[in-house]
Amino acid sequence: MKYFPQRTALHNEVHARPPESMSSPLAITHIVMLADASQHEASRAHLAALLRDHHQPPPDPLASHIRVDLGAFRLRWELHTEFVTYTILQSLEGKSFSEGDLPQASAVVPQAWLANMPLECLCSMHLWVLSGNAQARQSWVGHHLREDMLIGSTVLDGHAEFYTDLAIHPDGFSRGLVFTESGQKNLSARRLGRLVQRLLEIETYRMVALLGLPVARAASALLARGEAELASLAQAIRTALSEEEPELLDRLTRLAGEVESHYAATHSRFSASDAYFALVNRRIKEIAEVRLEGLQSMHDFMDRRLTPAMNTCDWARRRQQALSERISRMSNLLRTRVEIEQQQSSQALLSTMSQRQDLQLKLQSTVEGLSVAAITYYTVGLIAYLAKGAAPLGWSLSSETTSALAVPLVALAVWWSLRKLHRKISERLS
């Protein structure tokens, strides 16, 4: 049996980036670095350096997802289209720590390696998975999150609670706290792992979706200028004279080129932002959150803060499309006007040519009459010479009488010959 070359890769795609089994207490550090296709190898080489220092084999050159246990911590590396994620997990089982001093998973990673990460960091987050009573939870939340920006809800049908403030703290990281019931009787390790993965994805996709916002804001200035230019052109076209239309068409063509070039440069960014925004909403739905009294949920916060930003991107994209369509309609209108004027000019030229042709025909008829007369004159002259020469041989008519009798016959023969010639030429041309 012959298999499709990519059958295995396509089959295994459904198992790509599976969640890890997790149990509390646990410290997690999640870092997202922007990386396009040309920068993927830099991230892979940096990962290979860490694995080499811990006596681990280098990553597979084609791998897009790696999980490895390095003793003091576990590392999860994922390669995406526009970014690379590093997730560091440190078990806090058996470790003593106070409510005001939670260990950070990034602290157990070689700091030189962490500081020399290639590319640019878009998102970084510390997340802790803990269990404790209500008083301990409030203490942890009060020590590590900002009360004025606090977001909180129960998740997974009430089996866990999640708190965050979505704020960048002095260390450059945002923070989140997940609390599970003591003993995790109703929350398996795999289900907890899926919850943590979705929470990290919400933060990641939220930031990547927002990459379209600066582009949308920058586009608004160009769109406003393009709309003003188009309005000016529309007014000018309405009152333009025929000799001004080529210049207006040139201006309109340049504007169309500028708008289409900008549209091509930003369309993929806006489309990607829309796709990531949909992923954020989907992940929020999957964690099945329920609001806690006095706190806004993640869904409420995103609906109030992230949705307007995404609407700005969508509005910029729709303005681009509308402007492009208006320019296209205006171009078609102006081209139609130019074509109509060209057709009218062509008709006038054809009319002039027709008149000239009539004159030429009349002149040709006149010339034909002169030609018949000239040819008849010379032919009759030859006949007169023949008559004079034939007189000694017994020709009884004088040369003058012979010429007189020959004139109508020769003229008719010449006229008929010219008409026949013209008729043949006309048939070939037609």
Side-chain angles (χ1 to χ4, degrees):
M1 182 181 297
K2 185 177 181 180
Y3 291 106
F4 178 61
Q6 298 183 4
R7 173 180 180 269
T8 303
L10 296 175
H11 180 273
N12 293 334
E13 184 63 25
V14 296
H15 304 292
R17 304 181 178 93
E20 295 191 34
S21 298
M22 299 180 186
S23 58
S24 64
L26 181 68
I28 303 168
T29 296
H30 183 67
I31 300 173
V32 180
M33 310 295 287
L34 284 175
D36 58 26
S38 64
Q39 299 170 318
H40 286 172
E41 290 307 314
S43 178
R44 196 186 302 274
H46 193 63
L47 174 65
L50 178 67
L51 297 180
R52 183 180 63 249
D53 292 344
H54 286 78
H55 309 289
Q56 296 285 340
D60 188 320
L62 300 178
S64 60
H65 166 254
I66 294 174
R67 291 187 298 179
V68 59
D69 190 341
L70 299 179
F73 63 96
R74 301 197 311 275
L75 177 66
R76 181 186 181 101
W77 178 83
E78 295 182 5
L79 188 65
H80 297 259
T81 304
E82 294 187 273
F83 57 90
V84 179
T85 64
Y86 300 83
T87 305
I88 304 161
L89 303 97
Q90 179 195 17
S91 175
L92 301 181
E93 187 70 32
K95 300 181 183 295
S96 60
F97 50 87
S98 64
E99 296 174 350
D101 185 22
L102 287 174
Q104 298 177 352
S106 58
V108 298
V109 178
Q111 296 303 296
W113 180 85
L114 197 64
N116 292 324
M117 274 189 173
L119 314 176
E120 296 178 340
C121 179
L122 176 67
C123 170
S124 56
M125 183 180 191
H126 292 308
L127 182 68
W128 292 274
V129 181
L130 306 167
S131 58
N133 56 36
Q135 183 178 359
R137 295 180 183 185
Q138 293 301 318
S139 179
W140 272 314
V141 170
H143 277 96
H144 296 282
L145 301 178
R146 295 175 54 177
E147 183 178 359
D148 58 331
M149 303 175 65
L150 190 60
I151 300 169
S153 59
T154 63
V155 293
L156 298 183
D157 302 322
H159 294 146
E161 292 181 3
F162 172 64
Y163 297 88
T164 185
D165 54 12
L166 293 180
I168 298 178
H169 290 260
D171 60 355
F173 287 75
S174 59
R175 297 175 182 177
L177 293 167
V178 176
F179 296 108
T180 63
E181 296 293 336
S182 300
Q184 303 182 25
K185 295 180 180 179
N186 298 318
L187 188 61
S188 66
R190 291 190 63 83
R191 194 178 184 191
L192 178 60
R194 288 194 296 270
L195 171 64
V196 169
Q197 180 173 342
R198 287 164 180 162
L199 292 174
L200 295 177
E201 286 177 347
I202 290 172
E203 179 68 3
T204 300
Y205 295 144
R206 174 181 74 91
M207 290 298 295
V208 181
L210 285 171
L211 289 175
L213 184 59
V215 178
R217 289 172 175 169
S220 62
L222 183 142
L223 290 171
R225 186 169 64 252
E227 289 167 346
E229 174 70 8
L230 183 61
S232 174
L233 281 169
Q235 179 65 23
I237 290 171
R238 190 174 65 86
T239 59
L241 301 176
S242 58
E243 60 269 15
E244 297 173 339
E245 289 175 352
E247 180 183 354
L248 292 175
L249 185 58
D250 181 64
R251 287 175 57 189
L252 194 58
T253 302
R254 288 200 303 269
L255 177 61
E258 184 179 1
V259 171
E260 290 301 323
S261 175
H262 189 265
Y263 179 81
T266 59
H267 177 71
S268 60
R269 181 70 269 157
F270 291 150
S271 298
S273 292
D274 185 59
Y276 286 123
F277 181 54
L279 286 174
V280 171
N281 289 330
R282 188 180 306 168
R283 295 298 183 267
I284 292 176
K285 183 178 180 180
E286 289 172 352
I287 64 176
E289 63 172 352
V290 178
R291 290 184 59 184
L292 290 172
E293 185 177 356
L295 295 177
Q296 58 182 336
S297 65
M298 181 68 75
H299 175 271
D300 293 338
F301 181 86
M302 293 298 179
D303 188 54
R304 294 173 183 172
R305 303 295 179 89
L306 183 60
T307 299
M310 294 299 98
N311 288 341
T312 300
C313 296
D314 185 58
W315 173 237
R317 178 172 56 184
R318 285 189 282 117
R319 283 182 69 188
Q320 284 181 332
Q321 292 174 342
L323 181 59
S324 178
E325 291 172 358
R326 289 167 57 196
I327 292 174
S328 179
R329 289 197 301 268
M330 192 69 66
S331 297
N332 291 336
L333 174 63
L334 186 55
R335 286 193 180 96
T336 301
R337 285 184 53 178
V338 172
E339 289 174 359
I340 290 174
E341 291 177 357
Q342 289 178 343
Q343 290 175 0
Q344 292 175 345
S345 177
S346 298
Q347 290 177 352
L349 179 61
L350 290 174
S351 178
T352 303
M353 291 176 63
S354 178
Q355 293 175 358
R356 290 180 179 178
Q357 187 175 8
D358 291 341
L359 292 174
Q360 288 177 353
L361 289 174
K362 292 178 181 179
L363 181 62
Q364 183 178 352
S365 299
T366 303
V367 172
E368 286 179 3
L370 295 175
S371 299
V372 170
I375 295 173
T376 301
Y377 173 77
Y378 286 110
T379 304
V380 170
L382 292 175
I383 292 175
Y385 282 115
L386 289 174
K388 287 180 180 180
L393 299 176
W395 182 258
S396 60
L397 298 177
S398 66
S399 62
E400 290 82 0
T401 302
T402 303
S403 298
L405 294 173
V407 168
L409 296 175
V410 172
L412 181 62
V414 171
W415 174 83
W416 182 80
S417 299
L418 290 176
R419 293 293 295 175
K420 186 177 181 180
L421 178 62
H422 290 160
R423 189 179 299 111
K424 289 183 178 180
I425 293 174
S426 298
E427 289 175 354
R428 290 182 179 179
L429 293 177
S430 61

